[in-house]
Amino acid sequence: MKRDNSTAVFLPVSPSAMVKREKTLAAATDKLMMKHTDPAFTKVPQQTDLDQKLSVCSKLCFAIGGAPNQVAGSATAFFLQIYLLDVAQVNPVQASMVLFIGKAWGAVTDPIVGFFITKSRWTKIGRLMPWMVGCTPFVAVSYFYLWFVPPFTNGRFIWYLGFYCLYQTLITCFHVPYSALTMFLSTDQRERDSATAYRMTMEVLGTLLGAAIQGQIVAKAHTQEHCPHHNVTAAHLGNASGAEVIKSLAQSQDFLSHAKEVYMIAAGVISGLFLICTVVMFLGVKEKDDPYAPKTEKTIPFHKGFILVMRHGPYVILTAGFLFISVAIQLIQSNFVLFCTYAVDLQKHFQNIVLTILISAVVSIPFWQWFLQKFGKKTAAFCGITWIMPFTVMLVIIPNVTVAYVVAVSSGLSVAASLLLPWSMLPDVVDDFRLANPNSKGHEAIFYSFYVFFTKFAAGISLGVSTLCLEFAGYDTGACKQPPPVVYTLKLLIGAAPVAFIITGLMILLLYPISEDIRLRNKLALEDLRTQGLGCRSENLSTA
């Protein structure tokens, strides 16, 4: 059997570490050629295998813990932009600053929180669990006030910027340890993949629930029932002096008060979910360290660990590829309600279209989990994510209700793949890093926090730029109709821009080096390391 040396190109580690890794991989490759009946193939005692198994209840409780973040994320992704513009009546430049600075601040806090997590000590409930339990009440409060319209007008920009940055900081304190918790559920790759599938299914359900709660409660705030019903000709909207935006003459204070009230109701419901789901996760999940790690491991300073992680080729490629893909999904999410309201005549259907997308995503998660096990994770990423491109373009070209629902069902397949695949592939990258650096431990938080950092920062830039594009196109806050340049800009933000970002991301993922063969060899090699660590500990206990 020829050995695959493709990973060597992407792993700039020291020569001694490379030699150790090559020897370990060689041993693993030899064992792949043995029959399963060979006694030497047995890696760990049977009890150890049983200890690695996770119950369905444990996986479900772990998945439920991540649902509120997606519920809130769905609500903010689809509705925060239009809420700031039309309900809070913040001008587009200030709204873009809120969205960009908030996202950028959230991105900056990810590595900071990751640093403090690596310095945290183990407690009776673990090292990650105290972070999640402690910050949850504050997350709920900050999220609620993000959707509250203060009685003053001049300082609203500071209000929303402050609470959005506070919410981003607190949700980071929850999400970074929660995502890193995957590595501390089990040492078995299949069990971690299964737990990730549970998590992604529940998170897509959370996204669905967030869109359902927010969409159904606040839908009447965006149906334009307060607008006057008079005919407007195309000539009137496109005269020689420029676009003439028709202002609503009947946008009464009563209507605005109703819009503010329904947004607060939705925020209260979602804030309550944070508390309930965190309690369920705390009661049902047991955090445990790698019980078979060698005792010879030494602590490496955070900055040196960061350098090692950033030099690890598979991690850089995976992060860069999904960075562009997540920006594309974020652009579609944040501009979809505006697109349905002002670019096409679908404002009465947008909440049902959003629900259709998310239902399709929920249903397809088990399919993608089966697909990645059958054909590999890299193949699943390409097949799943390319599916969305022709359908988003179709919605822009043929904007009618029937096409919109067909596009919604098809897009849900890609949304599911874009959510499941990066979190399923990231543990494989961590395993690959662990094998390349066998004397280094405790960098899981760095992997997860910086992955979120890069994707959040890019999403913040894209949101800020997209809102500024609307401002330059002539977006008029509070108007019932928008001029043609705004309509054209929304079509670009929904169609052409996401397609360009997705293509770029997939081109980068072509370089991703961890194939299924390499993943299996890494698994066997890590089991060797853990078996050696278990043997050393047994010898120490017997001599003691």
Side-chain angles (χ1 to χ4, degrees), residues 35 126 148 154 163 217 233 277 295-296 320 326 361 373 476:
K35 295 182 179 180
F148 174 75
N154 293 333
F163 273 103
I217 293 177
T233 63
C277 293
K295 267 192 161 183
T296 57
S326 64
Q373 290 178 347
D476 194 352

Side-chain angles (χ1 to χ4, degrees), residues 7 20 69 73 89 92 110 115 212 277 281 285 297 339 342 515:
T7 52
K20 292 180 182 178
N69 181 33
Q89 296 192 337
D110 278 292
F115 168 77
C277 293
M281 179 188 65
V285 176
E297 292 180 351
F339 174 79
Y342 297 117
S515 63

Side-chain angles (χ1 to χ4, degrees), residues 46-85:
Q46 185 176 1
Q47 183 61 38
T48 301
D49 290 336
L50 292 175
D51 290 341
Q52 294 175 6
K53 298 297 180 182
L54 296 173
S55 67
V56 173
C57 179
S58 242
K59 295 174 186 176
L60 194 57
C61 290
F62 167 68
I64 288 173
N69 181 33
Q70 297 305 313
V71 172
S74 173
T76 54
F78 282 111
F79 293 95
L80 184 57
Q81 186 177 36
I82 197 171
Y83 166 81
L84 292 174
L85 293 173

Side-chain angles (χ1 to χ4, degrees), residues 79 82 87 213-227 251 254-256 258-260 262-263 341 347-348 350-351:
F79 293 95
I82 197 171
V87 179
I213 293 173
Q214 196 84 2
Q216 298 300 325
I217 293 177
V218 309
K220 289 186 178 180
H222 303 291
T223 54
Q224 298 183 346
E225 292 178 356
H226 59 288
C227 292
Q251 188 169 14
D254 290 340
F255 182 84
L256 279 177
H258 172 70
K260 296 172 185 177
V262 295
Y263 268 100
T341 303
Q347 63 266 25
K348 294 183 180 179
F350 74 81
Q351 67 269 28

Side-chain angles (χ1 to χ4, degrees), residues 386-424:
T386 53
W387 189 253
I388 196 173
M389 293 191 290
F391 293 100
T392 55
V393 175
M394 185 187 300
L395 181 61
V396 172
I397 297 174
I398 314 173
N400 64 57
V401 176
T402 304
V403 172
Y405 280 101
V406 172
V407 171
V409 173
S410 304
S411 299
L413 295 170
S414 286
V415 170
S418 68
L419 289 173
L420 175 64
L421 267 304
W423 297 110
S424 182

Side-chain angles (χ1 to χ4, degrees), residues 3 20-34 40-41 43 521 524-525 528 532:
R3 298 193 53 244
K20 292 180 182 178
R21 185 174 186 273
E22 290 297 319
K23 289 181 179 179
T24 313
L25 283 176
T29 304
D30 292 339
K31 291 191 176 184
L32 274 175
M33 300 174 65
M34 297 180 182
F41 188 82
K43 296 294 177 186
R521 292 193 324 199
L524 294 174
D528 275 339
Q532 293 169 12

